[in-house]
Amino acid sequence: MKIAPPQVWRNKRFMYKLTASKCESCGHISFPYSSYCTKCGSKNVKKIEISGKGILESYTVSYQSRDGHEKGLPSVIGLVRLDEGVEIVAPIVDADLDKLKEGIKVEATLRRVYTDSYNGLIQYGIKFRVAE
Amino acid sequence: MTEVYINSSSMIPIDRYYEYDIYDLVIEAYKNFEGEYDVNNIDLIVVANAYSQKLNNASLIAPKIAEKIGKPNVPAIKVDNADASGGAALLTAYSMIKSGMVNSILIIGVEKQSDYPSKYLYDTIATNLDEYMYYNGISSHSVAALLMRQYMKKYNVDGNYFANWAIKMHKNATENPFAYLRFPVDLNTVTNSQIISDPVRLFDVGARADGAAIVLLSSNKTESSVKINRIVSAQARYEFSPSLPSVKMLRNKLGMRLTEKTGIDIHDSYSIMAALMLEESGVFESGKSLYNLDNVNVNLSGGLKARGHAGGATALYQLAEAHMQLIGSFKGKKANVDDYLVISSDDLGIVSYGISLSR
């Protein structure tokens, strides 16, 4: 897998922070950010930064990796309801599978996503962990 | 008013064809086709394919395919809407004939997915997800797993419930000479199969491999014609309630009355998608669809689960099978049906096409 620095730079709005858009017409929050509301189509949206705090509504333990993401199996993928009301599907890290349960609080954390060993580049991203 | 018919159809068995490239797959399907039907008056070729650029290092495949099947001067276009490419191709072709622009179109569905290890294939499939999920390494399997878990909680069902789908599909596939996985499975095999993304197991996932299928669309009616009564499309993101709003929209737009003599073919990329599609399309009550599979003629070929998952070519298999069922030439499990409902979709049901067919 190869990392393209321009893509990393462009993707900083969802890889390094959780930038979303809130529709002024219907109230829907679109994540990642969209210039038009992904629910009602209005362009009357404002950019917001999501707090990164939320509740783990559900989760799955995945045993099959994608190319370039082999490390860290099995991986935990959560359905997270953020405090702002938006649901996202996100990786959960540092999870003790014996103690992980639905309904616990989670928070965003910056972590390595993958490494382009050929070019020596590292891609980071926002994942989630159980909140203390 | 111009009517649109499927006049003929052809397919190759879904399999891992290590000796064939993407063009060879089409040629094999076309050989069957050419031997039986007149294809000298085609105005346009529409190719349904999703992943050729990444999996086959091949772009501009539609005109290349036209050359390789001996139609170098017939205009050819590719239509891509991921695993719903076939539905999108049919909508395109149907609309062009309906408008009077052309009279006859060859729709070719092809996907070559077996050249790379599955982790590379599923990295490609994951490009269908939104950019946050894709760049963070999430797979479509995990999204399906979350939908399945939500369904299990809502309707208080377990893995045995979902196993009904795999058991039924494999049973159907044993009769289909074009199926990829032509063997029966029992409850024990399904519920103890490898966990992919809990609770999704190996037998909950459509089996991706190589395939090519072709239908000839025309405004001229022949003895082997099947009429396309209607095609509608809808798109809306899946919800973790769980639901598939796009399929619910299809049901309302299509307004098709389903009877015991209606054949149904759905995009069962995962067993959870089979359940949701059967329920959102109005075939069964929510939370109970997979208890009632003996009461309906659904996915008689074995579905994506066992006939095999041909990616963007899938709807062409669905349409070819529906055509063959309605004219009585299907070589697998047959049903006495008067009409057909085909639902073409991407793997997570964001975009859906509903097609009503009858003789």
Side-chain angles (χ1 to χ4, degrees), chain A residues 7 11 13-15 31 57-67 69-70 79 89-90 102 113 126, chain B residues 119-120 123 126 131-138 141-142 145-146 149-150 153 195-198 240:
Chain A
Q7 282 184 5
N11 294 347
R13 69 190 192 282
F14 59 83
M15 294 301 283
F31 176 80
E57 284 198 341
S58 184
Y59 65 93
T60 173
V61 182
S62 177
Y63 296 88
Q64 189 177 68
S65 74
R66 285 173 32 198
D67 191 40
H69 298 272
E70 294 84 353
L79 175 61
V89 176
E102 295 175 359
V113 175
I126 291 185
Chain B
K119 66 177 183 177
Y120 186 82
D123 191 65
E131 55 268 43
Y132 173 82
M133 286 194 271
Y134 176 74
Y135 281 103
N136 277 296
I138 294 168
H141 296 335
S142 291
L146 291 168
R149 193 176 286 283
Q150 295 293 90
K153 283 191 287 187
I195 299 173
I196 303 296
S197 191
D198 183 34
F240 287 102

Side-chain angles (χ1 to χ4, degrees), chain B residues 308-348:
Chain B
H309 187 337
T314 295
L316 274 301
Y317 275 87
Q318 294 177 290
L319 293 166
E321 288 156 0
H323 172 252
M324 292 172 185
Q325 285 284 0
L326 286 167
I327 66 172
S329 68
F330 187 61
K331 294 192 170 100
K333 181 176 180 178
K334 290 186 178 67
N336 182 17
V337 290
D338 292 336
D339 55 7
Y340 238 90
L341 168 64
V342 171
I343 297 178
S344 164
S345 175
D346 64 288
D347 274 8
L348 294 172

